Amino acid sequence: MTPTDSASALFDQEGWWDPESFLHGLHTLLDPVRGPYVTTALEKAGVDSRSRVLDVGSGGGFLAATLSDAGYDVIGIDPSMASIREAKDHVRSTFVAAAGESLPFSDSSVDAVTCSEVLEHVEDPEVVVAEISRVLRPGGLLVFSMPNRTVLSRLVLIDLAQRFWPTRVLPSELHDWTRFIRPTEFRELAQRHRLVVGDVHGVAIRLRHLPAAVAALVALRTSQITYAEAGSRVHLRLSRPTSIAYIGVATRT
Ligand SMILES: C[S@@+](CC[C@H](N)C(=O)[O-])C[C@H]1O[C@@H](n2cnc3c(N)ncnc32)[C@H](O)[C@@H]1O
């Protein structure tokens, strides 16, 4: 599979850092919570800044930017050539066009891998996880995040965000709910590839911020604010419930 074959057209574009693009929302929405989570997880696992961290499905380089700011030697890989160009234009790291199904690295050559909001978009997550496991050194760390497959995630991410006319702000083909993976399923999948899942946290909105988040959604839908602004008005946090989305770590045995 060549990089471009496996790149979804939605992601194969250069607007990642444009505040008007839905892609930029990912940055202002998720990075305030996943950035500190990922850097803390790497520190806790003893992955220091001399270590090589691979960001699988790096998109416009949002997570790579956080890691690079924290001093890590990051290599982002993504099948979308346009995303690679965009990441190179905005982030001082190395970016390589490649698919997660066929990582251009030798066995056990990487200290840590991040794979955030990617597995729900690939044809067969099992193949990508097997590849991640192959390139990770024993004891190496995988940090992952993705949406859960629950009634609530369907309501919020599909019905409200992609379908319901007054609130839809994302492309209707962005997420296919049936591709979402439950934490228990991911744990088993990872285990099949010698990755032992440790801590898993939900990523959720604080209840007291819900009115502001709904107001931001309406303002975005009516073009009063940008995706970047809307994302920054929705304050996500780590939570115990994983009903909408989750983030966690796994160690390569
Ligand atoms: C929702 S975006 C997430 C981007 C980035 N990880 C982030 O969170 O900012 C999904 C990314 O997965 C990439 N992708 C799609 N299929 C892939 C594959 N088979 N292997 C690796 N990345 C893939 C897309 O090109 C896109 O950049």
Side-chain angles (χ1 to χ4, degrees), residues 105-203:
F105 300 94
S106 49
D107 298 0
S108 308
S109 61
V110 172
D111 300 295
V113 173
T114 54
C115 186
S116 181
E117 313 306 310
V118 173
L119 292 175
E120 69 276 22
H121 297 289
V122 307
E123 205 56 44
D124 186 350
E126 187 101 34
V127 179
V128 175
V129 171
E131 235 347 55
I132 289 173
S133 172
R134 179 185 68 75
V135 301
L136 264 179
R137 66 164 167 78
L141 192 75
L142 165 66
V143 189
F144 54 86
S145 76
M146 66 197 100
N148 197 347
R149 196 178 72 256
T150 62
V151 172
L152 194 60
S153 75
R154 184 162 53 192
L155 177 73
V156 174
L157 299 176
I158 308 294
D159 295 337
L160 288 177
Q162 292 184 188
R163 288 197 183 140
F164 186 48
W165 185 82
T167 55
R168 65 178 186 218
V169 290
L170 295 177
S172 58
E173 68 277 33
L174 179 63
H175 288 124
D176 172 352
W177 182 80
T178 62
R179 286 189 172 201
F180 291 178
I181 304 170
R182 296 189 173 131
T184 47
E185 295 166 341
F186 184 71
R187 194 176 285 276
E188 285 166 18
L189 192 168
Q191 183 83 49
R192 288 196 286 279
H193 300 283
R194 291 174 292 173
L195 288 161
V196 177
V197 173
D199 273 358
V200 174
H201 295 274
V203 178

Side-chain angles (χ1 to χ4, degrees), residues 14 72 75 91 139 183 228 240 246:
E14 289 173 10
Y72 287 100
I75 303 180
V91 185
R240 189 187 288 264
Y246 58 100

Side-chain angles (χ1 to χ4, degrees), residues 69 190 223:
D69 287 349
S223 305

Side-chain angles (χ1 to χ4, degrees), residues 1-250:
M1 189 187 313
T2 64
T4 6
D5 286 342
S6 75
S8 146
L10 268 183
F11 300 119
D12 197 25
Q13 54 165 292
E14 289 173 10
W16 290 85
W17 291 85
D18 174 358
E20 305 279 350
S21 161
F22 76 93
L23 293 167
H24 196 287
L26 193 61
H27 177 45
T28 49
L29 181 70
L30 259 191
D31 282 326
V33 63
R34 79 173 163 185
Y37 178 88
V38 174
T39 49
T40 305
L42 293 176
E43 268 168 39
K44 267 196 200 163
V47 180
D48 66 31
S49 55
R50 284 159 300 166
S51 313
R52 181 190 263 184
V53 180
L54 187 62
D55 185 31
V56 173
S58 47
F62 299 145
L63 188 52
T66 302
L67 292 171
S68 154
D69 287 349
Y72 287 100
D73 172 19
V74 195
I75 303 180
I77 74 105
D78 200 286
S80 152
M81 306 290 187
S83 302
I84 292 289
R85 276 196 300 275
E86 176 84 343
K88 281 184 176 170
D89 279 352
H90 290 87
V91 185
R92 240 182 303 175
S93 291
T94 306
F95 293 94
V96 178
E101 290 81 354
S102 174
L103 295 172
F105 300 94
S106 49
D107 298 0
S108 308
S109 61
V110 172
D111 300 295
V113 173
T114 54
C115 186
S116 181
E117 313 306 310
V118 173
L119 292 175
E120 69 276 22
H121 297 289
V122 307
E123 205 56 44
D124 186 350
E126 187 101 34
V127 179
V128 175
V129 171
E131 235 347 55
I132 289 173
S133 172
R134 179 185 68 75
V135 301
L136 264 179
R137 66 164 167 78
L141 192 75
L142 165 66
V143 189
F144 54 86
S145 76
M146 66 197 100
N148 197 347
R149 196 178 72 256
T150 62
V151 172
L152 194 60
S153 75
R154 184 162 53 192
L155 177 73
V156 174
L157 299 176
I158 308 294
D159 295 337
L160 288 177
Q162 292 184 188
R163 288 197 183 140
F164 186 48
W165 185 82
T167 55
R168 65 178 186 218
V169 290
L170 295 177
S172 58
E173 68 277 33
L174 179 63
H175 288 124
D176 172 352
W177 182 80
T178 62
R179 286 189 172 201
F180 291 178
I181 304 170
R182 296 189 173 131
T184 47
E185 295 166 341
F186 184 71
R187 194 176 285 276
E188 285 166 18
L189 192 168
Q191 183 83 49
R192 288 196 286 279
H193 300 283
R194 291 174 292 173
L195 288 161
V196 177
V197 173
D199 273 358
V200 174
H201 295 274
V203 178
I205 189 166
R206 282 182 204 280
L207 268 186
R208 69 170 191 276
H209 290 146
L210 202 55
V214 173
L217 196 64
V218 172
L220 174 61
R221 181 71 178 110
T222 51
S223 305
Q224 296 169 56
I225 58 173
T226 62
Y227 282 90
E229 176 65 26
S232 67
R233 290 193 195 177
V234 178
H235 301 282
L236 298 181
R237 66 180 173 106
L238 296 182
S239 64
R240 189 187 288 264
T242 55
S243 9
I244 297 186
Y246 58 100
I247 188 163
V249 293

